[in-house]
Amino acid sequence: MQIMKATLERIIFYNEQNGYLVAKCSQLEKEDDTFTIVGNIIQPAPGMLLQIEGEWTVHPKYGRQFKLQSYIKMQPATKKGIERYLGSGIIEKIGPTLAARIVKFFGEDSLKIIEQNPDRLKEVEGIGSKRKANILSAWSKQNKTKQVMLYLYSLRIGPSTANKIYSTYQDEAPQKIQENPYCLIKDIFGIGFKKADSIAEDAGIKKDSPLRIKAGIHHTLMQSTEQGHAYLPCKEVKEKAARLLGIQEALLEKNLSELQQKQEIIIEDGAVYHPELYLAEIEVAKKLDEILKTKKKTPPPGWQNIIDFLEKEEKIKLSLNQKEAIKTALCEKLMVLTGGPGTGKTTTVKSIALLFENFNLKVILTAPTGRAAKRLSEATGRKASTIHRLLGYTPHHGFIKNEKNKLRADVVIVDEVSMVDILLMKALLKALHSSCRLILVGDADQLPAVGPGNLLQDIIQSKVVNVVKLEEIFRQAKSSLIVVNAHRINKGQFPYLPSLRLTSQNKDATKDFYFWEEPDAEKAERIAIELYCKKIPEEFAFNPFTDIQAISPLYKGMAGVNRLNKILQKILNPNTSCITRGQTLFKVGDKVMQLKNNYEKDVFNGDIGVIERINSGEETILVNFLEKKVLYRGQDLNELTVAYAVSVHKSQGSEYPAIIMPVLMSHYIMLQRNLLYTALTRAKKLAIFIGDKKALAIAIRNDKVARRYTNLAQRLCQNARVNKSVDRG
């Protein structure tokens, strides 16, 4: 790290949203010897004198740069610096001409005069009482900004985060932090509990402060939501919050009661909920119950004849199980259609849609992610959209379609329901008319949603909704080892493991599933890299950028997502045009994945594209998602990740021509049957597992899915019992 004083000479790029700056600076006494500085500064201006701390780096395209870690604004010392500073626009009401007159009149004392003897400004031609007052007001505001930033630095807050805080709170930042530093968690992107807690400590908040304890309780609940729970048992809340805060559990009792009284948390029968999740669970149970209470319908006359007609037209042969599903869809207002790969779920969905359309009913197809919606559309030949798009979601206004503005639909079919969380289901149900049929389609044996709840499993386990499970594997699917092994794994049986040793003589690669036995994690990682970069493209003619996907159970460690991405990027993409965001290096030509739904940009969680252009000066990336090009700037870059390898959870709802999956003892913590099953069913044409048969056996035996705390199934059962009691009465 190096500390020096420098004058800001010229601004090359400045992002007002996050304070990111690229500028030319010069050291004092060396004005002709300029260098580039990159970092975050609030309200920079040419002529400004800075004390900067950072390190020298070499950018592959732009050369030597000084990367800023922290800074302090100082008053310019030379006449030239003062004139440029005053005339830069940093002080309202002073332009270049007036700045030149002030400096000509007062010289190096100009800033001292403004600050200590402002009445003398009227000695300068063109400055009267009104202009003097305006200049002093702007100067005071500028000084206030400086004081706020110095206060933030005193709390060990870096310039990038300090800029975000100042942009959000302006001059009220010190007051906000002194009142409640934990508000930073909610208001400032990138600040979590640990960082806020550190700031709170520096701001003088005591360890046993109610403010801190309540923030710790909220954080404990939010963490449980990220793990998929709708609530936490009160005992667990106390244990986890006490451990987080480093205090005795007894101190939590009073704070839990106060939070409950203010309805900031809901406690019901020993379950502690965030209010939003409590209301969502209640609402979903209520709406599903309302659908279930509506009168069953009888199949329209001639429906069997239409099925016969559809079989001829579509050149398909439906199984008895599929016909049962179609009849159930015609009779029930609410049903679940489930089944594994190769059992004909998509064909059944297409047939149901065709049948309803033949009766002039409006059918809507939807799925939780963009990739899942695209797959559904391609498979059925009908338009399908994400649930968010269907409901008209916008970041600032929420869902346009709701209880006051319902969807115009007779039938809504939701695919990949295992990925739908309780909050999204609540939004969808509120937008449905009471007359609308709802058909939920999904594979109950896949991983549950990333968000809170366990919707599909809960609905099935409640046994109050009619469920049709497709179990017969169709003849064409029986020839696929991907399909056969997926069903074997799901039943707890060991899969068939044809070995793979690709050599120049082995050109007869006819199977779609292989196992490469290599228990050593380091060697397995090397094999995965060689398969991805060389062997699979050569032997199977798959493109590593568009067709092949590495999927790993873990992010960290050998053969984890992070290492695979780093190595694959280095081998597959030698491009030097790049930009670094946090720990991630992005290069032109990189395969990248969108990490969250962004409806303003029209890109969705799981969408994969290729970086087409990078401008590191402006901190922008242009990504080509095949159907559209999307520009990312500043904070938007946090929505992207390099995607040569992804986690199993991130692969949900997607389908890839070829996948490579390491299964090793070092992945022990994640070795579960449903994780293995989900990964394998992502492959369309080729799946290769690399690793240890022992690890494979452990994963297959481990069918104990980590329990999610939800009460939806119980609420559905309770509502059903109440309905029966009312009917008997």
Side-chain angles (χ1 to χ4, degrees):
M1 300 294 286
Q2 187 172 341
I3 299 174
M4 61 180 167
K5 290 178 181 177
T7 302
L8 201 157
E9 299 288 346
R10 179 167 59 90
I11 294 172
I12 299 169
F13 171 78
Y14 181 63
N15 184 332
E16 288 186 4
Q17 289 183 319
N18 60 14
Y20 183 76
L21 172 76
V22 180
K24 287 290 184 182
C25 286
S26 64
Q27 289 192 55
L28 288 181
E29 313 301 332
K30 298 181 183 178
E31 291 186 6
D32 295 331
D33 185 14
T34 62
F35 60 91
T36 302
I37 181 174
V38 294
N40 298 79
I41 295 180
I42 278 283
Q43 298 174 347
M48 180 181 283
L49 182 62
L50 301 166
Q51 180 174 299
I52 55 177
E53 182 178 4
E55 58 185 352
W56 291 103
T57 61
V58 179
H59 189 279
K61 183 176 180 181
Y62 297 102
R64 193 167 182 252
Q65 299 177 334
F66 189 84
K67 195 169 184 180
L68 190 71
Q69 294 296 326
S70 66
Y71 70 93
I72 297 173
K73 288 182 182 179
M74 305 172 72
Q75 291 187 355
T78 65
K79 286 183 182 180
K80 183 181 175 184
I82 293 168
E83 184 179 329
R84 293 187 68 207
Y85 176 68
L86 288 176
S88 67
I90 194 76
I91 309 297
E92 292 177 37
K93 310 300 179 183
I94 299 181
T97 305
L98 185 56
R101 288 208 299 270
I102 292 171
V103 174
K104 186 178 180 182
F105 199 91
F106 295 117
E108 292 177 357
D109 291 331
S110 296
L111 298 180
K112 192 187 292 183
I113 293 294
I114 294 172
E115 195 164 280
Q116 297 177 8
N117 197 1
D119 282 336
R120 289 198 63 195
L121 283 172
K122 289 193 283 186
E123 297 174 23
V124 179
E125 182 187 350
I127 299 181
S129 297
K130 189 174 181 181
R131 178 168 276 187
K132 183 200 81 171
N134 288 334
I135 290 171
L136 292 182
S137 174
W139 181 261
S140 174
K141 186 179 178 182
Q142 184 67 19
N143 269 347
K144 212 166 189 179
T145 302
K146 180 181 174 183
Q147 294 306 314
V148 170
M149 295 303 285
L150 286 172
Y151 171 75
L152 296 177
Y153 292 153
S154 75
L155 300 177
R156 294 182 293 166
I157 298 172
S160 176
T161 305
N163 287 339
K164 291 179 195 174
I165 293 171
Y166 185 81
S167 297
T168 304
Y169 299 137
Q170 297 294 308
D171 294 340
E172 292 180 8
Q175 183 185 343
K176 286 273 188 185
I177 290 172
Q178 286 159 15
E179 286 174 357
N180 182 7
Y182 298 98
C183 68
L184 296 169
I185 300 168
K186 179 169 65 74
D187 296 339
I188 310 298
F189 180 84
I191 294 186
F193 180 82
K194 285 187 178 178
K195 180 62 179 174
D197 202 35
S198 171
I199 293 168
E201 184 181 4
D202 288 338
I205 303 295
K206 292 182 179 178
K207 195 173 183 180
D208 60 353
S209 161
L211 200 66
R212 180 173 184 262
I213 294 172
K214 287 169 183 172
I217 292 169
H218 277 299
H219 178 69
T220 301
L221 281 180
M222 291 309 296
Q223 275 195 318
S224 74
T225 299
E226 290 170 11
Q227 292 161 1
H229 301 299
Y231 71 86
L232 268 187
C234 198
K235 188 179 179 215
E236 277 196 39
V237 173
K238 290 176 186 175
E239 287 173 356
K240 290 181 177 179
R243 192 161 54 246
L244 172 75
L245 297 165
I247 60 172
Q248 296 296 315
E249 286 184 34
L251 290 171
L252 291 158
E253 286 287 355
K254 185 182 175 185
N255 290 284
L256 278 165
S257 297
E258 287 177 2
L259 287 171
Q260 185 181 17
Q261 286 168 11
K262 292 178 182 176
Q263 294 190 320
E264 292 181 36
I265 61 171
I266 306 290
I267 302 179
E268 180 186 79
D269 298 330
V272 184
Y273 283 89
H274 184 282
E276 187 182 21
L277 291 176
Y278 177 78
L279 293 172
E281 201 173 79
I282 294 285
E283 188 75 13
V284 168
K286 179 187 167 189
K287 292 290 183 186
L288 291 176
D289 183 55
E290 286 173 2
I291 297 172
L292 287 166
K293 282 196 291 189
T294 55
K295 190 178 178 181
K296 291 186 180 182
K297 298 180 179 291
T298 54
W303 70 274
Q304 288 175 309
N305 294 333
I306 294 176
I307 286 182
D308 294 338
F309 173 74
L310 290 177
E311 285 183 312
K312 287 178 185 177
E313 282 289 304
E314 298 294 320
K315 295 176 182 171
I316 56 172
K317 183 63 181 172
L318 297 169
S319 68
L320 291 174
N321 210 193
Q322 287 176 304
K323 289 180 181 178
E324 179 199 345
I326 294 168
K327 184 179 179 182
T328 304
L330 290 168
C331 296
E332 301 285 343
K333 288 289 295 298
L334 173 64
M335 75 166 284
V336 170
L337 175 65
T338 185
T343 57
K345 284 198 307 294
T346 305
T347 302
T348 308
V349 168
K350 185 177 180 181
S351 301
I352 289 170
L354 276 166
L355 195 62
F356 280 125
E357 286 166 357
N358 267 273
F359 291 113
N360 296 316
L361 296 175
K362 184 176 180 181
V363 180
I364 287 178
L365 301 178
T366 187
T369 67
R371 290 183 71 84
K374 187 177 179 183
R375 282 177 57 202
L376 181 61
S377 182
E378 289 169 351
T380 61
R382 281 160 181 72
K383 181 184 174 184
S385 68
T386 64
I387 299 171
H388 281 82
R389 182 165 292 285
L390 175 66
L391 301 179
Y393 179 82
T394 58
H396 306 296
H397 301 99
F399 295 102
I400 294 170
K401 295 294 181 182
N402 50 42
E403 63 270 28
K404 294 177 181 176
N405 180 25
K406 294 183 183 286
L407 288 166
R408 293 181 181 177
D410 299 304
V411 183
V412 172
I413 303 175
V414 188
D415 197 16
E416 296 284 4
V417 179
S418 62
M419 297 176 67
V420 179
D421 64 37
I422 195 77
L423 295 168
L424 188 54
M425 181 52 73
K426 173 197 168 188
L428 176 63
L429 290 172
K430 284 171 73 173
L432 297 185
H433 279 286
S434 57
S435 59
C436 184
R437 285 181 170 89
L438 179 61
I439 300 169
L440 304 175
V441 184
D443 188 342
D445 296 311
Q446 287 192 25
L447 291 170
V450 174
N454 199 2
L455 189 80
L456 184 57
Q457 285 283 6
D458 283 349
I459 291 173
I460 293 172
Q461 286 173 12
S462 73
K463 296 182 180 177
V464 301
V465 177
N466 208 309
V467 178
V468 178
K469 184 172 185 179
L470 302 178
E471 297 182 290
E472 180 186 338
I473 303 175
F474 280 83
R475 187 174 61 188
Q476 62 269 32
K478 285 180 181 176
S479 62
S480 165
L481 272 184
I482 291 173
V483 172
V484 170
N485 280 339
H487 283 275
R488 289 183 68 83
I489 288 169
N490 202 27
K491 291 174 183 175
Q493 299 170 356
F494 211 72
Y496 299 116
L497 300 179
S499 61
L500 180 66
R501 284 290 184 272
L502 294 176
T503 64
S504 56
Q505 288 78 35
N506 180 13
K507 295 294 181 184
D508 185 26
T510 57
K511 295 183 177 65
D512 64 358
F513 177 90
Y514 295 93
F515 182 77
W516 191 314
E517 187 170 10
E518 179 48 75
D520 182 271
E522 190 174 350
K523 291 178 182 176
E525 182 181 85
R526 284 203 300 268
I527 292 164
I529 298 297
E530 187 180 7
L531 284 168
Y532 198 118
C533 300
K534 187 179 179 185
K535 295 297 187 181
I536 292 178
E538 286 177 358
E539 301 293 334
F540 296 91
F542 285 125
N543 184 319
F545 285 92
T546 57
D547 300 332
I548 306 171
Q549 186 62 59
I551 300 176
S552 182
L554 287 174
Y555 278 94
K556 296 180 180 180
M558 203 67 68
V561 171
N562 296 340
R563 277 184 59 85
L564 288 172
N565 268 324
K566 194 172 181 180
I567 299 167
L568 287 166
Q569 181 188 56
K570 190 174 182 180
I571 295 171
L572 290 170
N573 190 2
N575 209 310
T576 56
S577 179
C578 61
I579 189 172
T580 301
R581 187 72 181 179
Q583 300 297 313
T584 306
L585 175 70
F586 294 107
K587 295 182 179 183
V588 169
D590 269 343
K591 180 180 179 180
V592 290
M593 176 184 274
Q594 173 74 13
L595 292 174
K596 59 184 282 191
N597 291 336
N598 188 322
Y599 294 89
E600 291 179 344
K601 294 184 183 296
D602 198 32
V603 286
F604 306 97
N605 184 12
D607 283 355
I608 286 181
V610 175
I611 295 177
E612 197 167 279
R613 189 175 72 239
I614 288 176
N615 186 325
S616 58
E618 295 183 4
E619 209 180 22
T620 61
I621 289 179
L622 184 70
V623 180
N624 188 340
F625 285 101
L626 297 180
E627 296 176 353
K628 67 184 82 67
K629 294 182 181 181
V630 180
L631 186 68
Y632 292 79
R633 185 190 303 277
Q635 295 297 329
D636 295 343
L637 299 181
N638 294 318
E639 296 180 9
L640 282 179
T641 187
V642 176
Y644 301 98
V646 298
S647 69
V648 181
H649 283 88
K650 276 295 172 190
S651 73
Q652 275 183 278
S654 301
E655 193 175 63
Y656 311 101
I659 69 148
I660 302 167
M661 168 85 166
V663 185
L664 299 157
M665 288 304 295
S666 57
H667 297 155
Y668 184 84
I669 192 171
M670 293 297 290
L671 293 179
Q672 295 173 345
R673 186 186 297 176
N674 63 346
L675 183 123
L676 203 64
Y677 175 77
T678 299
L680 180 54
T681 53
R682 299 309 92 209
K684 194 174 181 180
K685 297 178 181 177
L686 177 67
I688 301 175
F689 282 7
I690 307 160
D692 194 338
K693 286 182 180 178
K694 183 181 176 183
L696 199 62
I698 288 170
I700 292 165
R701 284 198 302 270
N702 183 12
D703 64 340
K704 292 175 183 171
V705 179
R707 187 194 166 187
R708 289 192 169 196
Y709 291 117
T710 80
N711 274 324
L712 180 62
Q714 291 90 320
R715 294 187 197 282
L716 287 169
C717 291
Q718 187 178 4
N719 289 343
R721 285 195 296 271
V722 170
N723 293 339
K724 283 182 182 179
S725 176
V726 170
D727 290 343
R728 284 197 298 270

